[in-house]
Amino acid sequence: MKQLKSVMAIAVLLCGGSATAADKYADQAAALLKADFKSKGPATLERVVEQDEAQKACSSAAALPAKKAKALEEAQLKLVKYPADGKYLGDWKAGEKIAQNGRGMQSSDKVGSENGGNCYACHQVSKEEISFGNIGPTLYQYGKLRGDSEAILKYTWAKLYNAQAFNACSRMPRFGHNGVLTEQQLKDLMALLLDPQSPVNK
Ligand code: HEC
C-alpha cells in the first residue's frame, strides 16, 4: 500500500495537472519516495528526489517566464566543462555504438560502468537506422549542414554536456553534467555528428 501511494504521488508529480498541484505534492512525494525506496548500485534515490535549481524551476512552473529561463540557461552554460586537451573529436564508430546503446545506470549495473547515450530514442541520427524516436530534431547531416567551426564545436559540445544551457527545460538528458557519459564518450559522439566520414554526414 505504501508503495502504491508513492507511485500515485509520482504520477501526480510527473503528469499532474496544474503547477500549484505539483508544488503542493512535491515535498510529500519526495518524503514517500525516501521512505519507500532504497538506492541500489548506480540507480540512486538522490537521482530521483534531489533536484537542482534548474530541475526545480522546470518541475514547479507550468511555463517558465522568459527572463528566468534565460538566466537559468546562462547559469547552466557556465557549468559546462570543455575537453581538457582542447580536442573535441574522437572516433565516430565508437560514437555510433554509444548512440545506439540505451542501457545504463540500472540497479543491476556495476557502479562506474559505462552507460549508453540512447540518442536514437529521441533523434534520427543516420539513414541506416529505420527505428528512432522523434522527440528531438533529426541529426542526420548535422555536420554537413553546419560545418566544424570553433563556434559549432563549442555549441555541440555544450549541448551534449548540458542541454539545459540552451533550453532551460530541455527534455534531453544532461550527459556530461550528470556524469552519464565520460569525456571520451562525448568526444566519440561529437565525431559521430561532425566527422565527414560518419554515416550522419553521408
Ligand atoms: C529524451 C530525449 C533525448 C535524448 C535521449 C537525446 N536527445 Fe538530443 N535533443 C532532444 C531534444 C528535445 C532536442 C531539441 C532541443 C531541446 O529541447 O533541448 C535535442 C537537441 C539535440 C541537439 C541540438 C540540435 C540542433 O539542431 O541544434 C543535439 C546535437 C543533440 N540533441 C544530440 C543528442 C545526442 C548525441 C544524444 C545521445 C547522446 C541525444 N541528443 C539524446 C532530446 C533528446
Side-chain angles (χ1 to χ4, degrees), residues 117-119 122-123 135-137 139 142 146 155 159-160 167 170-173 175 181 189 193:
N118 209 16
C119 315
C122 298
H123 295 282
I135 290 174
L139 300 174
Y142 185 88
R146 289 163 202 242
Y155 160 71
K159 182 73 193 172
L160 299 187
N167 175 4
S170 174
R171 284 179 287 172
M172 176 161 149
F175 293 107
L181 298 176
L189 287 163
L193 294 174

Side-chain angles (χ1 to χ4, degrees), residues 51-65 68 72 168-169:
Q51 300 193 15
D52 67 11
E53 196 204 349
Q55 289 170 302
K56 265 191 212 133
C58 294
S59 299
S60 64
L64 209 56
K68 171 97 177 149
L72 273 178
C169 295

